[in-house]
Amino acid sequence: MASEQGKAFGQRIVTLERHIIDSQRDFPGASGAFSQLLTSIGLAAKVITREVRRAGLVDILGKTGDTNVQGEEVTKLDVYAHQLMVRMLGRSGQVCGMASEEEDIFISIPSGQSRGAYIVCFDPLDGSSNIDVNATIGTIFGIWRVMHREAMVGEVPVEEAMQPGRALVGAGYVIYGSSTIFVYTTGSSVHGFTLDPTIGEFLLSHPNIRTPARGGIYSVNEGNASKWDPRVREYIETLKGDENARGKPYSARYIGSLVADFHRNLLKGGIFLYPADVKNKQGKLRLMFEAAPLAFVCEAAGGAATDGTQRILDLEPEDLHQRVPLIIGSADDVAEATAAIGEP
Ligand code: P6P
């Protein structure tokens, strides 16, 4: 019987960089540009991890006193993560334009700078209202290819970023929790890597993540219940009783940090909802920076994501910061929720 240590030595240690390069073989003719871009995001995740882990020790907790384009108070760690992502992506040489949830305008990489054919939309630090209470937060990113190569001559127009989620070539998230996990997909499979801080490497820990077709968890802010459409209230009530597909109540889990709620449900099975309500008629979450990238990951893991009537990945964006109702998670649960809540 192989010893535990022997088994450990026997297990192949796969770093994020190694995995990206190995996966590149699935794309004949790949130039390595996408691999370099993904590696740059991985490096940004390591640096943000360092700052998140020591945020309480240095003066980057708390608010800056500013509000972002979303009208939300900006924390110092938000600003740090945003500036770092802009710098790392800008210097990767693989990006010609980017958009951040923290910046109201599209950022075109100057034509004099080394640029590539990718457009990245990202939420640098999602759930940042949880930073000061040491709750889990995350980074979300989506990678599209520029639609018109001629657009790369000079200023890249924001229209190049206005692509549906189904056009994503890669997407993922980083979750800064009890450990830091980097999850990404190029559309066919989803893989998770846990940061080993002793060697500063992301190591493959969750190969080929598949989300259960049905879960036992629902995640929604029930404090908004009085503002929901009655059909939403009715659907949520069915999850609390025995008259549902499980034949028993679902468990309620809601951290208030999308990446944390999404990641738990992806691994265990479950459904996350941020529906529209009488106050937020388009919901609260952003299509380009949150819903589309996570929907791309979720579908690649066998799950589903809708806005209550249609597939998130089919939504044609009309505004860079547009919000969208989000129902995401286990495919059977999402189908039932959409049927219950969607337009008659
Ligand atoms: P509420 C965090 O501010 C966030 O954007 C997501 O991470 C999270 O899912 C949602 O908002 C929480 O919103 O209204 O429930 O506090």
Side-chain angles (χ1 to χ4, degrees):
M1 168 76 78
S3 69
E4 282 308 310
Q5 191 179 42
K7 274 197 288 186
F9 278 116
Q11 284 169 353
R12 187 163 165 255
I13 295 178
V14 180
T15 65
L16 172 63
E17 287 73 16
R18 179 76 262 160
H19 191 274
I20 292 169
I21 291 166
D22 290 349
S23 304
Q24 187 176 303
R25 295 189 188 122
D26 300 338
F27 300 89
S31 64
F34 182 81
S35 299
Q36 277 190 55
L37 172 53
L38 214 45
T39 301
S40 297
I41 297 173
L43 180 54
K46 292 178 189 175
V47 177
I48 294 173
T49 296
R50 182 193 65 198
E51 294 308 306
V52 166
R53 299 293 178 226
R54 67 189 196 124
L57 304 173
V58 296
D59 182 26
I60 56 170
L61 273 180
K63 311 290 182 197
T64 62
D66 302 318
T67 53
N68 63 15
V69 64
Q70 321 296 344
E72 295 164 341
E73 279 193 300
V74 178
T75 66
K76 295 175 183 174
L77 210 47
D78 266 345
V79 172
Y80 179 86
H82 164 74
Q83 291 172 344
L84 183 79
M85 286 289 284
V86 170
R87 199 159 62 241
M88 299 292 271
L89 292 172
R91 290 178 181 164
S92 70
Q94 308 309 331
V95 173
C96 60
M98 64 182 93
S100 166
E101 191 230 79
E102 291 296 327
E103 174 62 70
D104 55 352
I105 58 167
F106 180 71
I107 303 166
S108 171
I109 302 298
S111 50
Q113 207 170 310
S114 173
R115 309 197 298 185
Y118 293 106
I119 303 266
V120 183
C121 293
F122 58 91
D123 184 352
L125 210 59
D126 178 76
S128 52
S129 56
N130 291 297
I131 291 171
D132 293 0
V133 295
N134 201 30
T136 297
I137 49 184
T139 298
I140 306 170
F141 61 90
I143 303 169
W144 284 266
R145 205 184 304 284
V146 67
M147 289 185 284
H148 310 97
R149 294 205 61 96
E150 61 272 19
M152 289 178 60
V153 179
E155 177 96 5
V156 180
V158 63
E159 288 71 21
E160 289 298 321
M162 306 307 281
Q163 300 185 50
R166 65 174 178 267
L168 279 158
V169 294
Y173 58 90
V174 186
I175 181 164
Y176 310 102
S178 49
S179 58
T180 294
I181 297 181
F182 185 104
V183 177
Y184 87 96
T185 183
T186 53
S188 56
S189 53
V190 180
H191 305 284
F193 302 78
T194 299
L195 183 62
D196 179 338
T198 64
I199 57 173
E201 289 285 4
F202 280 108
L203 304 182
L204 182 63
S205 53
H206 298 73
N208 196 27
I209 296 173
R210 302 294 295 165
T211 196
R214 179 171 301 285
I217 294 170
Y218 78 99
S219 307
V220 70
N221 182 344
E222 299 208 53
N224 295 330
S226 63
K227 296 180 289 185
W228 292 339
D229 179 296
R231 288 170 296 180
V232 176
R233 280 198 293 272
E234 192 177 321
Y235 169 72
I236 296 296
E237 285 310 306
T238 64
L239 299 185
K240 299 178 182 178
D242 300 327
E243 299 302 312
N244 59 52
R246 289 184 84 222
K248 59 182 179 180
Y250 284 60
S251 297
R253 296 285 185 275
Y254 192 74
I255 298 174
S257 185
L258 174 58
V259 175
D261 285 316
F262 174 80
H263 183 70
R264 178 201 54 241
N265 293 358
L266 186 76
L267 297 185
K268 295 187 168 213
I271 184 167
F272 172 98
L273 306 95
Y274 208 108
D277 61 43
V278 291
K279 183 182 157 208
N280 301 304
K281 295 198 183 308
Q282 290 307 313
K284 172 181 182 182
L285 303 175
R286 274 64 54 151
L287 174 61
M288 299 306 290
F289 306 110
E290 292 160 324
L294 293 184
F296 191 69
V297 172
C298 196
E299 288 202 6
T306 73
D307 66 353
T309 55
Q310 57 184 316
R311 186 176 174 237
I312 290 288
L313 295 185
D314 286 338
L315 295 176
E316 297 287 348
E318 293 162 9
D319 177 83
L320 194 56
H321 289 272
Q322 78 181 64
R323 297 173 190 267
V324 66
L326 180 60
I327 302 174
I328 190 169
S330 294
D332 293 354
D333 290 299
V334 169
E336 283 165 11
T338 302
I341 295 170
E343 296 305 323

